[in-house]
Amino acid sequence: MIKVGVIGTGSMGRNHARVYSQLPDVSLVGVADVNRNLVQSVAKEYNTAAFTEYPELLKQGLDAVSIAVPTSLHKKVAIDAAENGVDILLEKPISDTISNARKIIEACEKNKVKLMVGHIERFNPIVDVIKSRIDENTISINIRRLGPLPPRVADVGVVVDLAIHDIDIIRYITNSEFKKVYGLTSTNLSNHEDTAILSFEMENGILANINANWLTPFKVREIDIAGKRNFIRGYFIEQKVIEYAKHEDNSYTTQEIPVKYAEPLKIELEKFVECVRQGKEPPISGHEALKALEIAVRCLRSR
């Protein structure tokens, strides 16, 4: 039985608690949040203990903890968890600054605890389907991640909070590092950038583009892959992939590629628990998450 806790019971933390409560051989020991009414509500819903001081939760003999607090608090909470010997799933981004991210990684390595960063879109079933079709014929990748301004985010902008999903995905599906990075952003509705157009050249020659904003009244989560022999469109929300295969006469045939629907968060937490139970290395390490953050920061600095 793996004993887990959740620190931060906002929208994402509540979902972590929900999934943990459903996993076999996992005991949700408790949830923690400074908002007493909120944490008590989540604890009651998932039949666990509520803590308004997260250090008290860390003293409950946990094997692992999900940390879903505001990004600016990641460093303190993660280091405290590491020093208590608790394996960590830290929501993305790994931290608000590169320096703080490195300190988190150092603390986890020093205390010999596992650190996995919750880049949840990596576990969307369409991602590996698309990755399997990236080859030497691939020319470009274009991703749209649009939606309304989220009230939960107050300490980072759309690049670090939202576009970082796609920075991680681009690096993952191309098996390549970033060679050139360009970023254009604007600030309109908040204290941070809420619109971003990011462009990249990968070391393997693939061009990539991310269009992200918090100005669209509905969510758009789509990816296009253009190649010499085909064109692929993926829908993250619908978990749907369409392939347009090109023929010698420049005509196309269209087919929907089968995708087995699954909840990305459940897959993510199952992988995390498996790593904790078996002593395996997490699929998204702190170092990988740091690379995504470094590219996001380069985008912001290139304005």
Side-chain angles (χ1 to χ4, degrees):
M1 183 68 69
I2 299 296
K3 298 178 180 179
V4 303
V6 176
I7 300 174
T9 55
S11 176
M12 185 56 78
R14 179 184 289 268
N15 280 314
H16 279 243
R18 171 182 58 81
V19 173
Y20 281 135
S21 72
Q22 298 169 350
L23 295 182
D25 299 322
V26 172
S27 173
L28 180 59
V29 173
V31 293
D33 199 289
V34 294
N35 185 322
R36 183 180 299 274
N37 291 335
L38 179 60
V39 74
Q40 288 179 343
S41 171
V42 174
K44 182 178 179 180
E45 184 173 3
Y46 299 112
N47 192 30
T48 190
F51 298 84
T52 54
E53 300 291 336
Y54 75 83
E56 293 302 312
L57 174 58
L58 292 174
K59 295 176 183 177
Q60 302 304 309
L62 301 181
D63 298 303
V65 66
S66 280
I67 299 174
V69 298
T71 306
S72 58
L73 300 177
H74 280 195
K75 184 187 79 168
K76 175 172 174 49
V77 179
I79 289 176
D80 285 346
E83 291 177 347
N84 276 271
V86 180
D87 289 339
I88 299 165
L89 192 155
L90 181 60
E91 266 302 328
K92 65 83 204 160
I94 183 172
S95 195
D96 53 344
T97 69
I98 292 171
S99 174
N100 285 344
R102 287 175 176 157
K103 289 174 182 176
I104 291 170
I105 294 169
E106 289 168 4
C108 290
E109 292 177 345
K110 176 182 177 181
N111 291 281
K112 294 181 171 56
V113 302
K114 298 188 184 306
L115 172 63
M116 177 171 166
V117 180
H119 281 276
I120 189 171
E121 284 286 42
R122 183 87 76 88
F123 301 95
N124 191 308
I126 77 165
V127 171
D128 280 331
V129 170
I130 289 172
K131 179 179 172 64
S132 69
R133 285 163 169 76
I134 301 288
D135 57 25
E136 68 279 1
N137 295 292
T138 301
I139 298 170
S140 67
I141 299 169
N142 185 61
I143 304 179
R144 293 170 299 286
R145 190 169 294 270
L146 317 173
L149 181 68
R152 63 177 176 79
V153 179
D155 51 357
V156 293
V158 73
V159 173
V160 172
D161 181 74
L162 201 63
I164 200 167
H165 280 299
D166 303 306
I167 290 170
D168 175 70
I169 287 172
I170 290 168
R171 181 174 174 270
Y172 175 66
I173 66 176
T174 62
N175 289 317
S176 182
E177 299 297 337
F178 293 84
K179 181 179 179 180
K180 295 180 181 179
V181 175
Y182 305 94
L184 294 173
T185 65
S186 66
T187 302
N188 306 280
L189 302 179
S190 66
N191 294 326
H192 300 278
E193 83 284 349
D194 50 34
T195 303
I197 298 175
L198 314 177
S199 297
F200 313 97
E201 180 184 350
M202 308 306 290
E203 289 183 354
N204 62 5
I206 293 176
L207 303 181
N209 183 75
I210 300 171
N211 184 353
N213 75 42
W214 282 331
L215 304 178
T216 306
F218 49 86
K219 285 187 177 181
V220 177
R221 306 285 190 267
E222 297 176 355
I223 179 171
D224 291 337
I225 312 291
K228 297 176 184 177
R229 298 191 302 228
N230 64 354
F231 180 89
I232 298 170
R233 172 161 289 182
Y235 302 85
F236 289 97
I237 297 173
E238 299 85 353
Q239 295 187 16
K240 179 178 175 181
V241 177
I242 305 294
E243 182 174 35
Y244 302 80
K246 188 176 182 180
H247 301 289
E248 291 183 0
D249 62 357
N250 288 326
S251 65
Y252 286 85
T253 54
T254 305
Q255 67 166 336
E256 182 172 343
I257 300 171
V259 177
K260 186 177 180 180
Y261 188 89
E263 182 184 5
L265 181 61
K266 183 178 181 183
I267 298 173
E268 178 182 81
L269 295 189
E270 286 175 337
K271 294 288 187 183
F272 175 56
V273 169
E274 179 183 337
C275 291
V276 173
R277 180 175 282 119
Q278 300 181 7
K280 296 164 57 176
E281 288 303 308
I284 304 177
S285 67
H287 291 285
E288 282 191 278
L290 173 59
K291 288 184 178 181
L293 180 61
E294 287 173 338
I295 296 302
V297 171
R298 281 177 63 185
C299 289
L300 292 172
R301 289 176 177 170
S302 71
R303 288 178 291 187

